[in-house]
Amino acid sequence: MLLLPALVPVLVFSVGPLVYGILLAFTDARSGRNAETSFVGLENFAELLSDGDFWESFRIGMIWGLSVTVLQFLASLGLALLLNQDLRLRGVARVLAVVPWAMPPVVVGLMWRLVYHPDAGLLNGLFGSDVDWLHDFSLALPAVIVVGVWTGMPQTTVVLLAGLQSVPRELYEAVSVDGAGAWRRFWNVTLPQLRPVVVAITSLDFVWNINQFSLVYVLTQGGPGGRTRLPMLFAYEEGFRYGFFGYAATLGVAITIVVLAVLGLYLWRQAREGD
Amino acid sequence: MKRLSAALAVAAVALAAGCGSGGGDGGGDAASGEPVKLRFLSLAWQKESIEANKQIVADWNTANPKIQVEYVQGSWDNVNDQLVTSFEAGDPPDVIHDDSPALSSFASRGFLLDLTGKIPAELNGDIPQAAWDTVTFSDGKSGQGVYGVPFLQESQVLIANKKLLDGAGVRVPTPDSPWTWDEFADAAGKLTKKGAYGVAWPMKSPVNKVLNLALNFGGTFFDTQGGKTTVKVGPQEREVLQRIHDQLYTDRSADPSALGMGTADPLPGFFAGKYAIVPAGVYLRQQVAEQAPSGFEWVTLPPLKGQTSQQGAVSQTLSVAADSKHPDEALKFIAYFLNGPNQAKLAKGDWLLPTSTTAAKDPALTTKENGWDVATASAKDLVVAPFLKVNGFDEWKSKVATPAMQEYFADKISLDELAKRLVEDGNKVLERYSR
């Protein structure tokens, strides 16, 4: 009974829409005042399998999700190691490292659009180049990935930093006695100790990144010619631009299943190696 | 999972639609003495245009205490997404500013009020039938309806550097004797010198531009038979595509690096003499007039001629939501908002062409200054663009046509390959909408 007040909002705002969304995936719901909805079984899923545009967008989503997560992790690890050193003004540096976290994705997107602006942008000004970063067919995706890495760094850094601080000092002392250098200390002590934190944060980051929407929507709206159309943007367009609600819901369900599968495989392997 | 999936987002909106049937804020009945409240979603974005819009609304509110209009600012960038959600939620603005390509799909989904027979005679007669054609669509069942009042139109003209034209000794065309595409290619060739190109084609969004110009040679791109629409790319459709491609890669009179640009982006190069001619919609004259360095002489050249000078027309429109509580009052407001004098103000604010025939006679819209005479004269060749009536055009455009045309103009695929993709991939998209 005491659980009830906590449960009601969860049921109404989270479980309810989720179940509704899953149900919607099995219908031909369309936008329209007089649209009739009927149950179509697995038809949407069959259509999905043969939808080349979706798989193209899925491929882009995977490239995006994996590269952002990996780069984010490497950059954050470097930053966390640095911030873990006994530097002057360490406090200030740590605060600065967290600042991007305070920015909503839309603001980040707008800011980086100015950085990438072909005429007035910081980047072209700096290099004296004349590149339209966000509208070039081959550069748009890398350019967006850079922004993705930048945005996600704070939380990854903070988590890794916390992990680093919980590594027992004695371990370092012990290997130092054995005459280990900085690299060996990192490889044999820091990394194994950090492992659970790394697994947790990379999997969370991956889920977060593959479901990214607002950042890319603001930066490129999926363009040019669909080169940055992540699966979520694709689903959004199907639903709100073209009005195929049922199919869009199917996309949402399919993406969730795939993400869970990828994540499950990753966690399972990590758990096995950890044993 | 922390992030909402698309499924959730869709579900949330659908839920909102389910329980939002009691929408419509306040208002009250005219009978009870309370003033009727209307919301007017405006997409004006140029400074002069926003001022003109707000001024007309303010005038109306002073003259009509019983019908109060609230000005709501929207943006072209996301208006259609915004409208879908508010239509589905049952709480749309009463008076909606949009453009004719968007109306077709909203009309077939029953979101807009059919205005047939409801438009005051004076307004009806002031706007020519060709413009009404741009807002006449299928109602999604078997009938046809008029789903908006068209008010501003755009034609494609050429904006040229006067000194370079005179220097190269090419004929300056007039509305009575415009350039043919051949003369244009010839002139662009003459204007191409070391480090300077005759023309810059900004092709970031190529589809509407190509489709509107294709009518010069009778290219319609779509063929409707027995209620089923298919894409067609025959010799007529290929003319304009081929000619632009030739300028880029055969004559080399057009700068390939301008291809990724949006319409206004070539202007710095145009002012610097790097491009002699920039094809653009008439509205671009505003930015040219405002940003041109002093002493820079520019002219507006009339639309090109193929077999005809016809161009596909798209209109900006005002529509009434089907869910509006006060459709009659909304129409009264529209009739006032779009009368001749007001349309003249709006056209001046946006540097576009009014549909109203009385507004088109306004001296400010026929002066030689800033090419208004040429621009206004070009309105006579505007005909309804065939793609307006195609259900699923938006998806065809963004998924198939835009990337394919961009690749064609970048010389990555051949014209045959382009035609194949437009037709085969395109028909697959259109099929979804005929089910």
Side-chain angles (χ1 to χ4, degrees):
Chain A
M1 273 311 267
L2 288 174
L3 264 179
L4 212 59
L7 219 54
V8 167
V10 173
L11 283 176
V12 172
F13 294 114
S14 189
V15 179
L18 190 64
V19 170
Y20 186 86
I22 293 174
L23 287 180
L24 211 54
F26 297 94
T27 68
D28 62 354
R30 285 178 70 164
S31 154
R33 219 155 146 264
N34 27 27
E36 284 166 26
T37 302
S38 56
F39 186 74
V40 293
L42 291 172
E43 209 174 88
N44 285 337
F45 288 90
E47 191 182 327
L48 181 91
L49 288 178
S50 61
D51 187 344
D53 288 327
F54 170 71
W55 292 108
E56 174 58 20
S57 129
F58 190 75
R59 193 181 66 84
I60 292 169
M62 276 299 172
I63 294 176
W64 152 270
L66 289 175
S67 49
V68 171
T69 308
V70 169
L71 294 174
Q72 214 166 50
F73 169 69
L74 294 177
S76 302
L77 186 62
L79 190 60
L81 285 171
L82 198 67
L83 291 177
N84 200 30
Q85 303 292 317
D86 225 348
L87 301 170
R88 283 211 305 162
L89 296 178
R90 188 170 68 172
V92 181
R94 282 184 181 173
V95 170
L96 282 180
V98 182
V99 165
W101 207 352
M103 292 190 195
V106 173
V107 176
V108 172
L110 289 174
M111 196 179 81
W112 278 86
R113 231 163 64 176
L114 293 181
V115 172
Y116 283 134
H117 194 281
D119 296 326
L122 196 64
L123 210 56
N124 278 345
L126 218 58
F127 295 127
S129 53
D130 186 20
V131 181
D132 196 353
W133 301 92
L134 294 174
H135 293 111
D136 186 287
F137 272 59
S138 47
L139 288 176
L141 186 57
V144 173
I145 286 176
V146 169
V147 184
V149 172
W150 185 86
T151 321
M153 268 180 67
Q155 59 265 49
T156 316
T157 308
V158 167
V159 172
L160 288 175
L161 189 58
L164 282 175
Q165 283 169 351
S166 65
V167 178
R169 290 232 155 257
E170 303 84 68
L171 289 178
Y172 288 115
E173 281 158 20
V175 285
S176 294
V177 171
D178 289 346
W183 172 247
R184 286 200 66 97
R185 274 207 307 268
F186 171 73
W187 191 253
N188 288 339
V189 179
T190 315
L191 219 49
Q193 286 290 316
L194 220 49
R195 186 181 191 98
V197 179
V198 171
V199 171
I201 191 67
T202 44
S203 11
L204 284 176
D205 274 349
F206 177 73
V207 174
W208 176 274
N209 288 327
I210 198 128
N211 287 337
Q212 180 62 261
F213 174 83
S214 34
L215 191 66
V216 182
Y217 184 77
V218 173
L219 280 170
T220 63
Q221 300 217 329
R227 296 299 153 102
T228 58
R229 194 190 282 137
L230 305 184
M232 282 305 155
L233 268 102
F234 187 84
Y236 173 84
E237 283 186 354
E238 286 295 321
F240 294 102
R241 189 156 171 197
Y242 311 134
F244 297 100
F245 290 160
Y247 189 57
T250 310
L251 291 170
V253 171
I255 295 165
T256 311
I257 292 173
V258 173
V259 171
L260 286 180
V262 171
L263 208 59
L265 195 72
Y266 174 68
L267 291 177
W268 177 68
R269 280 199 48 176
Q270 289 298 326
R272 231 176 40 156
E273 275 174 33
D275 281 344
Chain B
M1 228 177 280
K2 222 171 167 194
R3 278 264 134 149
L4 292 181
S5 66
L8 268 177
V10 171
V13 168
L15 270 185
C19 46
S21 49
D25 64 337
D29 292 353
S32 69
E34 286 268 306
V36 166
K37 278 191 187 141
L38 297 175
R39 276 177 303 162
F40 166 41
L41 179 71
S42 163
L43 301 176
W45 57 278
Q46 307 218 45
K47 194 167 151 271
E48 304 163 46
S49 166
I50 293 179
E51 275 166 17
N53 270 270
K54 288 191 170 162
Q55 186 57 47
I56 300 175
V57 171
D59 292 348
W60 165 270
N61 281 341
T62 328
N64 296 276
K66 289 266 182 218
I67 308 174
Q68 289 293 299
V69 175
E70 182 194 353
Y71 179 94
V72 181
Q73 183 68 56
S75 151
W76 286 107
D77 290 340
N78 53 18
V79 61
N80 291 322
D81 297 356
Q82 182 193 347
L83 284 174
V84 168
T85 36
S86 64
F87 282 137
E88 287 289 337
D91 185 29
D94 301 277
V95 178
I96 296 163
H97 180 187
D98 208 332
D99 60 5
S100 42
L103 295 191
S104 143
S105 83
F106 287 143
S108 69
R109 294 186 225 165
F111 288 139
L112 298 175
L113 190 70
D114 181 3
L115 305 179
T116 314
K118 294 186 179 137
I119 297 153
E122 197 186 331
L123 181 66
N124 204 0
D126 193 26
I127 297 173
Q129 189 54 39
W132 287 114
D133 285 345
T134 65
V135 291
T136 307
F137 299 109
S138 147
D139 60 4
K141 283 168 263 169
S142 49
Q144 290 261 320
V146 174
Y147 291 98
V149 180
F151 67 106
L152 291 176
Q153 294 190 319
E154 173 188 329
S155 61
Q156 299 284 321
V157 291
L158 304 170
I159 296 177
N161 183 324
K162 183 78 169 43
K163 265 189 199 145
L164 292 181
L165 283 191
D166 292 346
V170 296
R171 177 181 81 90
V172 175
T174 61
D176 294 324
S177 147
W179 274 349
T180 61
W181 276 84
D182 290 333
E183 271 184 284
F184 170 51
D186 195 40
K190 280 188 194 151
L191 289 161
T192 303
K193 309 241 161 72
K194 203 164 171 278
Y197 286 92
V199 57
W201 283 102
M203 282 296 187
K204 191 164 107 188
S205 327
V207 180
N208 285 35
K209 231 174 248 168
V210 168
L211 264 57
N212 286 334
L213 289 175
L215 282 177
N216 281 177
F217 294 94
T220 55
F221 279 90
F222 294 98
D223 192 21
T224 303
Q225 271 172 2
K228 193 169 163 11
T229 302
T230 50
V231 185
K232 92 177 160 92
V233 183
Q236 296 152 322
E237 282 76 15
R238 289 176 183 227
E239 281 283 345
V240 163
L241 286 166
Q242 179 72 58
R243 282 167 188 266
I244 296 174
H245 195 271
D246 281 350
Q247 289 193 331
L248 284 160
Y249 301 103
T250 311
D251 306 350
R252 302 196 178 274
S253 57
D255 183 3
S257 71
L259 284 174
M261 296 182 178
T263 305
D265 296 335
L267 287 185
F270 176 65
F271 296 142
K274 199 174 155 201
Y275 316 122
I277 302 173
V278 178
V282 284
Y283 69 90
L284 194 70
R285 294 171 302 133
Q286 190 245 3
Q287 286 174 56
V288 177
E290 224 163 59
Q291 297 167 11
S294 60
F296 185 86
E297 276 182 77
W298 58 279
V299 284
T300 306
L301 307 182
L304 296 170
K305 188 173 175 213
Q307 288 154 359
T308 66
S309 292
Q310 284 192 348
Q311 286 187 7
V314 162
S315 319
Q316 292 188 28
T317 55
L318 290 187
S319 307
V320 180
D323 278 334
S324 168
K325 296 244 165 31
H326 309 288
D328 297 335
E329 287 84 353
L331 256 173
K332 270 186 212 151
F333 169 68
I334 291 180
Y336 170 78
F337 194 84
L338 299 183
N339 67 24
N342 283 340
Q343 274 207 35
K345 278 185 214 158
L346 293 168
K348 264 181 268 174
D350 261 330
W351 293 63
L352 286 166
L353 314 173
T355 53
S356 152
T357 39
T358 37
K361 292 190 193 112
D362 188 300
L365 299 185
T366 47
T367 159
K368 277 214 169 328
E369 202 184 332
N370 291 330
W372 272 108
D373 53 343
V374 176
T376 305
S378 70
K380 69 176 183 334
D381 289 316
L382 291 177
V383 295
V384 57
F387 65 79
L388 282 184
K389 317 273 178 184
V390 176
N391 216 347
F393 170 72
D394 187 30
E395 189 177 343
W396 177 78
K397 176 178 155 183
S398 80
K399 275 193 188 160
V400 181
T402 303
M405 282 191 193
Q406 282 173 342
E407 284 181 45
Y408 171 67
F409 287 128
D411 207 23
K412 288 191 183 125
I413 57 172
S414 68
L415 184 53
D416 287 329
E417 171 69 17
L418 169 69
K420 193 169 146 243
R421 277 167 60 177
L422 291 180
V423 173
E424 287 178 11
D425 298 351
N427 283 340
K428 257 184 241 160
V429 168
L430 295 187
E431 234 167 66
R432 296 179 83 186
Y433 293 83
S434 58
R435 275 182 223 159

